[in-house]
Amino acid sequence: MPQPLALEREFTMCFTSTPRGARLARRLVSHRVNDWGHPYATPVNETLTLIAAELTANAVRHGHVPGMDFRVHLTLAEDVVRIEVTDSRAEKRPPADPAATDPLSESGRGLLLVTALADDWGVTPRRAAPGKTVWAELRVRQERGERR
């Protein structure tokens, strides 16, 4: 059984399930990653910000339940940054193969970006409540003040 990674940093916050909440979540992820030593213009910060944007937009679009928020949980453990976005809609799970999206559709490519950018991603059922958590991980390493 794999050993859990040693947690170094952590950030958790709930946001309103609105486009404005998704924008705020994306900005706070970028700020937190900057505070953790990955400046705004670095590939690590930009990649994590884009992943956060896609996951939070999906939570608002596909996971919205009136009156319920979504939650962002960001962790840095050893050399892995993990972002988790939890919403209240268990029945609206992302496709196992995002490449199956209709090529003529105006939307549906967000998980293709997550698949391309993240080192790993997946979906887990929400514990102790209805819903799901969509997560992505990015391996990072320290190099002259920047990681990745």
Side-chain angles (χ1 to χ4, degrees):
M1 171 143 309
Q3 296 295 318
L5 298 175
L7 187 63
E8 296 175 20
R9 308 278 179 145
E10 184 174 31
F11 168 75
T12 302
M13 185 173 275
C14 289
F15 299 89
T16 58
S17 190
T18 63
R20 186 176 185 175
R23 283 191 306 273
L24 179 58
R26 180 193 75 226
R27 286 181 175 207
L28 288 176
V29 165
S30 181
H31 290 307
R32 188 63 57 191
V33 171
N34 178 70
D35 291 345
W36 292 354
H38 305 284
Y40 295 112
T42 62
V44 168
N45 192 302
E46 290 178 348
T47 299
L48 286 166
T49 300
L50 181 55
I51 290 170
E54 295 302 333
L55 296 184
T56 58
N58 284 351
V60 169
R61 183 171 183 158
H62 304 292
H64 175 75
V65 172
M68 302 295 289
D69 296 336
F70 69 89
R71 179 180 64 95
V72 172
H73 184 76
L74 187 67
T75 57
L76 171 62
E78 296 178 15
D79 288 337
V80 176
V81 178
R82 180 179 175 108
I83 182 166
E84 299 175 351
V85 178
T86 302
D87 64 52
S88 300
R89 298 279 304 264
E91 74 279 6
K92 291 256 190 163
R93 294 177 61 93
D97 180 15
T101 303
D102 178 3
L104 299 177
S105 175
E106 292 182 14
S107 63
R109 291 174 186 76
L111 286 178
L112 287 173
L113 288 172
V114 172
T115 300
L117 296 172
D119 291 307
D120 197 10
W121 76 275
V123 183
T124 57
R126 187 176 181 189
R127 293 185 217 135
K132 67 187 170 302
T133 298
V134 183
W135 57 269
E137 293 180 340
L138 184 66
R139 284 188 288 281
V140 298
R141 58 186 166 83
Q142 189 73 33
E143 285 189 68
R144 296 182 220 168
E146 181 187 337
R147 293 187 180 192
R148 181 143 200 205

